[in-house]
Amino acid sequence: MENIDERLSKLEAVQEINDCLTRYCRAMDWVDEDLLKTCFLDSGYIDYGFYAGDAKGFIPVVMEIERSGHSWHTITNVAIELDGDKAEVESYGLTAGGEIEDNSIKNINIYFGRYHDEFTKTSNGWKISKRLYLSLIHISEPTRQEAISYAVFC
């Protein structure tokens, strides 16, 4: 059995990685470029299909896409394998949203996929050093206003 310091270190790492994934979702939802920068190593490799390159170049590209509407990002079923100052992380992502027109979403877009991440422990905490996003499902449907009971977009 591991000693208490090793167990505590693992728990802290898992929590910091989950916190980073939460920051990623919030940064995407609120189009917060500064918050998104806290999630990635600048030199980290990112592959989303529409973009493949370093994280420093990815951030302005994805922020421009996110500015075109409003969306809600979630990450679930996070599996973390720690190996010293590295971690292999797999999770599922679900995003819903769309382009806003007259204070409502014109078309609802739903994306479901998987993230395959490598995290690296830095002096500023755990950050994504490599990410591959695999898009599994994309659904786009016109919004039926009569089916929406209440929505406010900020």
Side-chain angles (χ1 to χ4, degrees), residues 8-124:
L8 181 58
S9 180
K10 284 184 178 180
L11 287 172
E12 288 175 337
V14 167
Q15 185 60 53
E16 285 185 33
I17 290 168
N18 275 292
D19 288 348
C20 181
L21 294 172
T22 299
R23 282 195 317 275
Y24 167 81
C25 289
R26 292 186 58 76
M28 297 292 276
D29 290 351
W30 297 108
V31 194
D32 186 335
E33 189 167 334
D34 290 333
L35 186 59
L36 190 59
K37 287 177 183 176
T38 71
C39 301
F40 296 97
L41 291 178
D42 283 347
S43 61
Y45 182 77
I46 310 300
D47 184 351
Y48 270 61
F50 66 85
Y51 176 90
D54 66 17
K56 192 173 184 177
F58 169 73
I59 291 170
V61 169
V62 78
M63 288 288 97
E64 186 61 33
I65 292 168
E66 293 299 321
R67 282 186 192 92
S68 69
H70 191 83
S71 57
W72 299 267
H73 295 76
T74 59
I75 292 180
T76 65
N77 297 17
V78 179
I80 301 170
E81 291 292 328
L82 296 169
D83 185 13
D85 288 345
K86 298 280 187 184
E88 294 295 322
V89 180
E90 183 178 356
S91 56
Y92 296 107
L94 177 64
T95 302
E99 186 179 332
I100 298 172
E101 187 177 284
D102 297 325
N103 205 35
S104 65
I105 292 181
K106 180 171 61 172
N107 289 303
I108 297 285
N109 289 296
I110 300 170
Y111 299 89
F112 179 75
R114 289 186 0 221
Y115 294 101
H116 290 271
D117 295 327
E118 177 186 277
F119 275 75
T120 300
K121 185 177 182 179
T122 72
S123 59
N124 294 318

Side-chain angles (χ1 to χ4, degrees), residues 138-151:
H138 173 216
I139 300 167
S140 183
E141 292 289 328
T143 304
R144 297 184 323 250
Q145 293 300 322
E146 68 279 0
I148 298 174
S149 59
Y150 181 77

